Amino acid sequence: MARKKQARRKPATDSRDKKADAEVLDLASAADLLKVSKPTFYRWLAQDKIKGFKAGGQWRFYKHDLEAFLRAEEPSALHIDADALRAAVTKARKSKGLKPIEWPEAETAEESTVIGTVHTLITDAIEARASDIHFDNNVDEMLVRYRIDGVLNEVMSLPRDVALPLVSRLKLMGDMDIAERRLPQNGRIIVDHKGLGYDLRVTTVPAVFGESAISRILDQSSILIGLEKLGMSESTRKQFESILHAPNGLVIVTGPAGSGRTTTLYSSLNLINSPKKKVCTIEDPVEYRLRNVMQVHVNRKAGLTSPAAMRTFMRSDPDIVMVGDLRDLETAEGCVSAAMTGHLVLTAMLPLDAPSVVTRLIDMGLEPFLVSASLNAVLAQRLIRRVCAKCQERYEPSPDGLRRLQAETDLHITQAEFYRGKGCRECRNTGYRGRIGAFELLEVDDSIRERIARPANTAELQAAAVEAGMTTLLKDGVEKAMQGITTIEEVMRVLSYHPKEDADDQK
Ligand SMILES: [Zn+2]
């Protein structure tokens, strides 16, 4: 009986059977999925663009049909007001003194507008030396911002209805799934601009007002490899170079994300790398290719984690190992054990200053005596913006700020001459152009080693390091302001979070 029934049903409803488990949406949810208004949705239904069926007098839609529709349609086929978008882009670029866009050839004006807008946002970002492009949805607009020299700048506000086609265009370029809008996705876009290749890492994030996208721009040509180019004072650089020439031990570069740690690690490797040494790195991602270095990309899905790569490296007889990121106990143990068995290990961590790295390693679960025995040095760093060379002028910073910094750094800063940028086209009216590192180098000598083994707390380590001659991040920043390289305000913005400040206030 059952068999007969099945045989009878089969020819007519094969496709329906396959869809038996499929998700069915009502009209409101379907329109929402496509991010269009109900009238537009009805129009597409009438034009047979969308397949649906009636159940109990109500329209119903298979979700995978709608997703197939999204995949098949060029994003720009979705409803947008091409003229309004062109006007918004043109106006925003004109206000920055940029030339009008030549819109690309495409089948429809909408398509041309979407492709042209995304292209121009990417190339303008590259020209502006941006490190990231942010596409964020608000209630009534899509806001586009560039991160330049570490600070977000608003670039343009676009009509809200272009958000979907713009993000879809990015997804298409980044080889991502256009129909998937509920989960974050990652993609990669390679862009050629003026003969140079740029590597864009795109991440889409489902947010309450619709999908946002962030694109990181990796620009190999902008990574200035070379310790002498980072902005270290002569004495700090010489001290750091001699630390890097040790045959073994652990050297840690620390600072928050975007503080230039990677560039310092590459520059360090570049200094000590030679054909006589075997150098291995494990990175996430590999941002810069180095000669004669075995570079490995972390691949968690495939099980290639930092600890797994470390174990493999140890069997391949390296002299120098660089681990892009030390953030768990297993990796920390691997680094310490390699450092104690005759290898020089370079790695990066997130604490904001050098003494805190010691405390962090012990908090992670490492034995204090192991940290004490293996650690050679910690270099903490930050990037601060440089005064624009085109529009710099002398100025008098606020006396209150100066007095405070003088008390904190023991520098005679009230007598110094200070410079700032007036603002010009070259610096997009910010007064700053480019960045330079501020550094704090904690070299582990016998007195520090003894304190780590005890273990002493961060404040005691800090005091002992300063006693031994360490220049703190804040002091290094203030010295750069006194040389006219940056401003006092920039130093305070980036560096005056210092816990020591709170302690002083309480006295
Ligand atoms: Zn300027």
Side-chain angles (χ1 to χ4, degrees), residues 388-392 421-433:
C388 173
K390 283 268 160 64
C391 63
Q392 61 173 3
K422 246 191 312 229
C424 67
R425 207 178 133 175
E426 199 75 12
C427 59
R428 299 169 72 94
N429 278 322
T430 58
Y432 298 97
R433 191 175 154 83

PDB file of all heavy atoms in Angstrom, residues 388-392 421-433, ligand 1:
ATOM      1  N   CYS A 388      52.230  67.099  10.038  1.00  0.00           N
ATOM      2  CA  CYS A 388      52.336  67.240   8.581  1.00  0.00           C
ATOM      3  C   CYS A 388      53.463  68.221   8.250  1.00  0.00           C
ATOM      4  O   CYS A 388      53.479  69.357   8.740  1.00  0.00           O
ATOM      5  CB  CYS A 388      51.012  67.740   8.006  1.00  0.00           C
ATOM      6  SG  CYS A 388      51.073  68.132   6.252  1.00  0.00           S
ATOM      7  N   ALA A 389      54.401  67.761   7.406  1.00  0.00           N
ATOM      8  CA  ALA A 389      55.567  68.588   7.094  1.00  0.00           C
ATOM      9  C   ALA A 389      55.191  69.797   6.239  1.00  0.00           C
ATOM     10  O   ALA A 389      55.852  70.831   6.265  1.00  0.00           O
ATOM     11  CB  ALA A 389      56.615  67.738   6.377  1.00  0.00           C
ATOM     12  N   LYS A 390      54.073  69.682   5.487  1.00  0.00           N
ATOM     13  CA  LYS A 390      53.672  70.754   4.569  1.00  0.00           C
ATOM     14  C   LYS A 390      53.071  71.970   5.283  1.00  0.00           C
ATOM     15  O   LYS A 390      53.138  73.074   4.777  1.00  0.00           O
ATOM     16  CB  LYS A 390      52.648  70.208   3.554  1.00  0.00           C
ATOM     17  CG  LYS A 390      53.271  69.386   2.455  1.00  0.00           C
ATOM     18  CD  LYS A 390      53.617  70.254   1.241  1.00  0.00           C
ATOM     19  CE  LYS A 390      54.652  69.598   0.345  1.00  0.00           C
ATOM     20  NZ  LYS A 390      54.159  68.349  -0.261  1.00  0.00           N
ATOM     21  N   CYS A 391      52.442  71.726   6.430  1.00  0.00           N
ATOM     22  CA  CYS A 391      51.712  72.844   7.043  1.00  0.00           C
ATOM     23  C   CYS A 391      52.083  73.043   8.515  1.00  0.00           C
ATOM     24  O   CYS A 391      51.287  73.560   9.296  1.00  0.00           O
ATOM     25  CB  CYS A 391      50.206  72.643   6.881  1.00  0.00           C
ATOM     26  SG  CYS A 391      49.581  71.181   7.712  1.00  0.00           S
ATOM     27  N   GLN A 392      53.290  72.630   8.904  1.00  0.00           N
ATOM     28  CA  GLN A 392      53.631  72.731  10.330  1.00  0.00           C
ATOM     29  C   GLN A 392      53.859  74.187  10.754  1.00  0.00           C
ATOM     30  O   GLN A 392      54.291  75.026   9.977  1.00  0.00           O
ATOM     31  CB  GLN A 392      54.874  71.892  10.639  1.00  0.00           C
ATOM     32  CG  GLN A 392      56.103  72.328   9.886  1.00  0.00           C
ATOM     33  CD  GLN A 392      57.337  71.573  10.352  1.00  0.00           C
ATOM     34  OE1 GLN A 392      57.272  70.696  11.190  1.00  0.00           O
ATOM     35  NE2 GLN A 392      58.479  71.919   9.790  1.00  0.00           N
ATOM     36  N   GLY A 421      50.358  70.794  12.931  1.00  0.00           N
ATOM     37  CA  GLY A 421      49.985  71.051  11.538  1.00  0.00           C
ATOM     38  C   GLY A 421      48.779  71.973  11.511  1.00  0.00           C
ATOM     39  O   GLY A 421      47.835  71.776  12.268  1.00  0.00           O
ATOM     40  N   LYS A 422      48.844  72.991  10.609  1.00  0.00           N
ATOM     41  CA  LYS A 422      47.716  73.918  10.484  1.00  0.00           C
ATOM     42  C   LYS A 422      46.536  73.216   9.812  1.00  0.00           C
ATOM     43  O   LYS A 422      45.389  73.546  10.039  1.00  0.00           O
ATOM     44  CB  LYS A 422      48.137  75.095   9.585  1.00  0.00           C
ATOM     45  CG  LYS A 422      48.202  76.417  10.316  1.00  0.00           C
ATOM     46  CD  LYS A 422      48.355  77.578   9.345  1.00  0.00           C
ATOM     47  CE  LYS A 422      49.431  77.380   8.290  1.00  0.00           C
ATOM     48  NZ  LYS A 422      50.368  78.474   8.114  1.00  0.00           N
ATOM     49  N   GLY A 423      46.876  72.234   8.953  1.00  0.00           N
ATOM     50  CA  GLY A 423      45.857  71.555   8.151  1.00  0.00           C
ATOM     51  C   GLY A 423      45.975  71.998   6.710  1.00  0.00           C
ATOM     52  O   GLY A 423      45.949  73.197   6.423  1.00  0.00           O
ATOM     53  N   CYS A 424      46.156  71.046   5.805  1.00  0.00           N
ATOM     54  CA  CYS A 424      46.249  71.375   4.383  1.00  0.00           C
ATOM     55  C   CYS A 424      45.708  70.184   3.588  1.00  0.00           C
ATOM     56  O   CYS A 424      45.280  69.192   4.164  1.00  0.00           O
ATOM     57  CB  CYS A 424      47.698  71.681   3.996  1.00  0.00           C
ATOM     58  SG  CYS A 424      48.798  70.247   4.087  1.00  0.00           S
ATOM     59  N   ARG A 425      45.736  70.306   2.269  1.00  0.00           N
ATOM     60  CA  ARG A 425      45.182  69.248   1.440  1.00  0.00           C
ATOM     61  C   ARG A 425      45.983  67.953   1.600  1.00  0.00           C
ATOM     62  O   ARG A 425      45.437  66.856   1.622  1.00  0.00           O
ATOM     63  CB  ARG A 425      45.198  69.705  -0.018  1.00  0.00           C
ATOM     64  CG  ARG A 425      44.123  69.039  -0.815  1.00  0.00           C
ATOM     65  CD  ARG A 425      44.103  69.527  -2.222  1.00  0.00           C
ATOM     66  NE  ARG A 425      44.027  68.371  -3.101  1.00  0.00           N
ATOM     67  CZ  ARG A 425      43.898  68.453  -4.392  1.00  0.00           C
ATOM     68  NH1 ARG A 425      43.874  69.626  -4.975  1.00  0.00           N
ATOM     69  NH2 ARG A 425      43.822  67.373  -5.125  1.00  0.00           N
ATOM     70  N   GLU A 426      47.291  68.133   1.723  1.00  0.00           N
ATOM     71  CA  GLU A 426      48.207  66.999   1.843  1.00  0.00           C
ATOM     72  C   GLU A 426      47.825  66.083   3.023  1.00  0.00           C
ATOM     73  O   GLU A 426      47.943  64.880   2.944  1.00  0.00           O
ATOM     74  CB  GLU A 426      49.617  67.565   2.069  1.00  0.00           C
ATOM     75  CG  GLU A 426      50.734  66.615   1.785  1.00  0.00           C
ATOM     76  CD  GLU A 426      50.972  66.415   0.295  1.00  0.00           C
ATOM     77  OE1 GLU A 426      50.427  67.176  -0.549  1.00  0.00           O
ATOM     78  OE2 GLU A 426      51.704  65.484  -0.019  1.00  0.00           O
ATOM     79  N   CYS A 427      47.370  66.689   4.124  1.00  0.00           N
ATOM     80  CA  CYS A 427      47.052  65.901   5.331  1.00  0.00           C
ATOM     81  C   CYS A 427      45.546  65.800   5.548  1.00  0.00           C
ATOM     82  O   CYS A 427      45.098  65.496   6.641  1.00  0.00           O
ATOM     83  CB  CYS A 427      47.752  66.493   6.546  1.00  0.00           C
ATOM     84  SG  CYS A 427      47.305  68.200   6.893  1.00  0.00           S
ATOM     85  N   ARG A 428      44.748  66.070   4.514  1.00  0.00           N
ATOM     86  CA  ARG A 428      43.289  66.035   4.598  1.00  0.00           C
ATOM     87  C   ARG A 428      42.791  66.869   5.777  1.00  0.00           C
ATOM     88  O   ARG A 428      41.851  66.476   6.480  1.00  0.00           O
ATOM     89  CB  ARG A 428      42.799  64.586   4.726  1.00  0.00           C
ATOM     90  CG  ARG A 428      43.172  63.713   3.539  1.00  0.00           C
ATOM     91  CD  ARG A 428      42.915  62.253   3.806  1.00  0.00           C
ATOM     92  NE  ARG A 428      41.481  61.944   3.818  1.00  0.00           N
ATOM     93  CZ  ARG A 428      40.796  61.521   2.774  1.00  0.00           C
ATOM     94  NH1 ARG A 428      41.395  61.372   1.613  1.00  0.00           N
ATOM     95  NH2 ARG A 428      39.533  61.247   2.870  1.00  0.00           N
ATOM     96  N   ASN A 429      43.478  67.983   6.000  1.00  0.00           N
ATOM     97  CA  ASN A 429      43.105  68.938   7.056  1.00  0.00           C
ATOM     98  C   ASN A 429      43.175  68.377   8.480  1.00  0.00           C
ATOM     99  O   ASN A 429      42.545  68.897   9.393  1.00  0.00           O
ATOM    100  CB  ASN A 429      41.699  69.491   6.825  1.00  0.00           C
ATOM    101  CG  ASN A 429      41.754  70.616   5.814  1.00  0.00           C
ATOM    102  OD1 ASN A 429      42.693  71.415   5.825  1.00  0.00           O
ATOM    103  ND2 ASN A 429      40.790  70.652   4.924  1.00  0.00           N
ATOM    104  N   THR A 430      43.952  67.322   8.671  1.00  0.00           N
ATOM    105  CA  THR A 430      44.067  66.766  10.019  1.00  0.00           C
ATOM    106  C   THR A 430      45.285  67.336  10.745  1.00  0.00           C
ATOM    107  O   THR A 430      45.378  67.254  11.966  1.00  0.00           O
ATOM    108  CB  THR A 430      44.232  65.234   9.989  1.00  0.00           C
ATOM    109  OG1 THR A 430      45.399  64.924   9.209  1.00  0.00           O
ATOM    110  CG2 THR A 430      43.023  64.556   9.388  1.00  0.00           C
ATOM    111  N   GLY A 431      46.250  67.876   9.976  1.00  0.00           N
ATOM    112  CA  GLY A 431      47.479  68.375  10.600  1.00  0.00           C
ATOM    113  C   GLY A 431      48.531  67.287  10.809  1.00  0.00           C
ATOM    114  O   GLY A 431      49.627  67.563  11.293  1.00  0.00           O
ATOM    115  N   TYR A 432      48.153  66.066  10.478  1.00  0.00           N
ATOM    116  CA  TYR A 432      49.087  64.945  10.656  1.00  0.00           C
ATOM    117  C   TYR A 432      49.243  64.183   9.348  1.00  0.00           C
ATOM    118  O   TYR A 432      48.313  64.077   8.563  1.00  0.00           O
ATOM    119  CB  TYR A 432      48.569  63.967  11.708  1.00  0.00           C
ATOM    120  CG  TYR A 432      48.417  64.559  13.094  1.00  0.00           C
ATOM    121  CD1 TYR A 432      47.183  65.014  13.539  1.00  0.00           C
ATOM    122  CD2 TYR A 432      49.511  64.642  13.953  1.00  0.00           C
ATOM    123  CE1 TYR A 432      47.040  65.544  14.811  1.00  0.00           C
ATOM    124  CE2 TYR A 432      49.369  65.172  15.226  1.00  0.00           C
ATOM    125  CZ  TYR A 432      48.136  65.627  15.655  1.00  0.00           C
ATOM    126  OH  TYR A 432      47.997  66.135  16.909  1.00  0.00           O
ATOM    127  N   ARG A 433      50.435  63.645   9.128  1.00  0.00           N
ATOM    128  CA  ARG A 433      50.619  62.771   7.985  1.00  0.00           C
ATOM    129  C   ARG A 433      51.675  61.726   8.310  1.00  0.00           C
ATOM    130  O   ARG A 433      52.814  62.057   8.615  1.00  0.00           O
ATOM    131  CB  ARG A 433      51.041  63.578   6.757  1.00  0.00           C
ATOM    132  CG  ARG A 433      50.988  62.765   5.490  1.00  0.00           C
ATOM    133  CD  ARG A 433      51.281  63.617   4.279  1.00  0.00           C
ATOM    134  NE  ARG A 433      51.818  62.786   3.220  1.00  0.00           N
ATOM    135  CZ  ARG A 433      51.077  62.073   2.387  1.00  0.00           C
ATOM    136  NH1 ARG A 433      49.786  62.106   2.467  1.00  0.00           N
ATOM    137  NH2 ARG A 433      51.644  61.320   1.459  1.00  0.00           N
TER     138      ARG A 433
HETATM  139 ZN    ZN B   1      49.158  69.449   6.245  1.00  0.00          ZN
END
